[in-house]
Amino acid sequence: MGKQFAVIGLGRFGLSVAKTLHELDYEVLAIDKDGERIQENMNQVTHVVQADSTDEMALKSLGIRNFDVVVVAIGQDIQASILTTLILKELGVETIVVKAQNQLHAKVLYKIGATKVVFPERDMGQRVAHNLVTPNILDYIELSDEYSIVEIIASEKLSGKSLVELNIRARFGCNVMAIKNQDKINIAPSAKDIIYEGDVLVVIGHNNDLKKFQDFVMNGKR
């Protein structure tokens, strides 16, 4: 069974994260206290529930602690965001990702146990979703509906091999645009350049091809 996600707050950001995770075939529970939003998004994710996330008993009854990742995407209500995060932490949720309004809000969230804090202006919903489900991805930029650029951390499976040995273009249909090694960046890597574990590969390609390459990097699947 894959990771299970819960998204609290179905504003623009929360809905984008929830829909993208669902499109990537992950089970998603969406929670919002607004009945209208619940009705509007009944078919966008796996399950949709109307509940007040500041009510500990309500979250307990939903089995929130059983979810691998909970995204708190509450809008302008900073108090509700903080209280929800605190409840999730006390209930034992493993990974809590929270949307912050400003740096001070973020500081408080980290203090009370948020695993990761995001700012919607910098971290669009799709980028966050791809990062959550693929730990090897540092960044994700959608060029169009079909093509993207990703930064992928090279795993042990790639270490010590040259680009020509890996034959990424022929095997996966992707192109390695650059290789980052600590502070150095190779903008035009040659076929003979060696990849080491921990290197960051900047790869461009069709979304389906990129997913196949990501699976190979992480799991050895082709």
Side-chain angles (χ1 to χ4, degrees):
M1 184 179 291
K3 284 185 176 179
Q4 292 182 309
F5 296 87
V7 178
I8 299 174
L10 289 178
R12 236 174 8 173
F13 172 72
L15 183 58
S16 178
V17 172
K19 285 174 64 178
T20 304
L21 288 168
H22 184 60
E23 287 165 4
L24 290 168
D25 293 327
Y26 287 88
E27 186 172 334
V28 183
L29 168 66
I31 302 167
D32 199 290
K33 65 179 181 180
D34 188 322
E36 279 189 32
R37 283 183 179 170
I38 294 299
Q39 291 299 320
E40 289 170 3
N41 299 292
M42 289 291 288
N43 301 316
Q44 303 287 353
V45 295
T46 317
H47 306 288
V48 185
V49 175
Q50 183 176 359
D52 181 356
S53 63
T54 63
D55 182 340
E56 184 174 351
M57 293 308 297
L59 292 182
K60 266 187 180 179
S61 68
L62 292 173
I64 201 74
R65 66 179 298 173
N66 298 320
F67 286 82
D68 300 289
V69 181
V70 178
V71 180
V72 181
I74 294 170
Q76 299 299 318
D77 192 340
I78 290 178
Q79 182 175 329
S81 165
I82 291 170
L83 185 54
T84 298
T85 304
L86 188 59
I87 291 170
L88 292 172
K89 185 67 177 178
E90 290 181 346
L91 289 177
V93 175
E94 186 176 336
T95 303
I96 306 168
V97 180
V98 193
K99 169 187 171 182
Q101 297 298 322
N102 51 52
Q103 291 293 342
L104 183 58
H105 184 195
K107 190 174 181 179
V108 173
L109 291 169
Y110 276 125
K111 287 280 187 185
I112 62 175
T115 312
K116 182 175 182 179
V117 174
V118 297
F119 295 85
E121 295 80 10
R122 296 199 310 247
D123 301 290
M124 297 305 292
Q126 289 185 333
R127 187 177 297 184
V128 174
H130 280 274
N131 180 263
L132 289 173
V133 299
T134 316
N136 272 54
I137 289 188
L138 290 181
D139 205 356
Y140 171 92
I141 301 170
E142 185 174 294
L143 299 176
S144 69
D145 289 340
E146 296 184 343
Y147 291 89
S148 303
I149 297 174
V150 294
E151 287 189 349
I152 303 176
I153 302 173
S155 65
E156 187 181 355
K157 296 177 184 66
L158 276 59
S159 188
K161 296 182 175 68
S162 66
L163 288 176
V164 70
E165 285 178 287
L166 291 168
N167 205 13
I168 295 169
R169 183 184 297 178
R171 293 170 68 192
F172 304 100
C174 305
N175 288 304
V176 178
M177 300 168 59
I179 302 173
K180 298 179 184 178
N181 183 292
Q182 297 180 351
D183 295 331
K184 298 177 182 177
I185 180 166
N186 183 351
I187 295 177
S190 71
K192 294 181 179 179
D193 283 334
I194 305 295
I195 294 172
Y196 299 96
E197 185 176 2
D199 282 356
V200 176
L201 310 180
V202 181
V203 188
I204 186 171
H206 192 282
N207 293 337
N208 292 337
D209 294 330
L210 287 171
K211 188 169 190 319
K212 290 174 186 174
F213 180 54
Q214 292 160 24
D215 288 342
F216 171 73
V217 172
M218 292 183 65
N219 308 310
K221 298 177 182 176
R222 184 170 182 266

